[in-house]
Amino acid sequence: MPIKNFLENILILKGKTSRLDFWYVILSLLILSIIPTVILSYLIFGSLMNISGGGNVQEIMESTFLNIPIFIIGIIYLFLLVPVITMTVRRWRDVGLRASGIILIFCLLVLIVILGFIIHLKQNIIIDFLIVISSSMFLITLMPSQICCTNSKNRISQFFFCSKGER
């Protein structure tokens, strides 16, 4: 059962996660997070618009009543972030990436996000890099198991990918 494996291995980076298990959990979490968010948003905005008589949108957005549910949803997403990252790392290991390659990818992503905040995401090149890296990260999760394993003696290949006999 994919959800059971997800919950049992919340903080475990070792091991593997198959494509089916990975996408089953991701799509389940997506559905489970969208439904309450949509319902909560509809209830909050609908009730606030009725109370204010369709008044000022800025006053509605600054309402404390509105901030509490958004805060709760944010906390839930924050708690799910670590398990999803560990599951993604296990999926990438299943594809054939080494830990050193995974760490480099995450460091590059964090560096680009930090640079984006420093220069306020006004530079299109930062946004382009984020799109390329996040798209690459997504495509890696779609790959079949052990497809990135290699027999190459190239040091760069060995840095990123495991050897075929290793798994």
Side-chain angles (χ1 to χ4, degrees), residues 62-130:
E62 292 172 355
S63 169
T64 305
F65 176 68
L66 179 64
N67 291 332
I68 293 171
I70 291 173
F71 178 75
I72 292 170
I73 290 171
I75 294 294
I76 291 169
Y77 287 161
L78 191 61
F79 278 122
L80 288 174
L81 181 66
V82 172
V84 168
I85 288 174
T86 58
M87 184 179 64
T88 303
V89 168
R90 288 193 309 270
R91 176 72 202 124
W92 289 357
R93 288 176 49 85
D94 187 41
V95 169
L97 291 176
R98 286 187 181 273
S100 53
I102 293 170
I103 290 169
L104 183 66
I105 290 169
F106 273 116
C107 288
L108 189 60
L109 181 65
V110 168
L111 178 67
I112 289 172
V113 169
I114 290 171
L115 282 174
F117 281 114
I118 289 172
I119 60 174
H120 305 291
L121 290 175
K122 291 182 181 175
Q123 303 294 328
N124 288 338
I125 189 120
I126 298 294
I127 295 171
D128 293 342
F129 274 126
L130 282 172

Side-chain angles (χ1 to χ4, degrees), residues 16 93 96-99 146 149-151 158 161-167:
K16 300 176 183 178
R93 288 176 49 85
L97 291 176
R98 286 187 181 273
Q146 300 181 2
C149 293
T150 182
N151 286 330
Q158 291 177 345
F161 310 115
C162 67
S163 61
K164 288 203 184 242
E166 208 174 302
R167 297 226 172 205

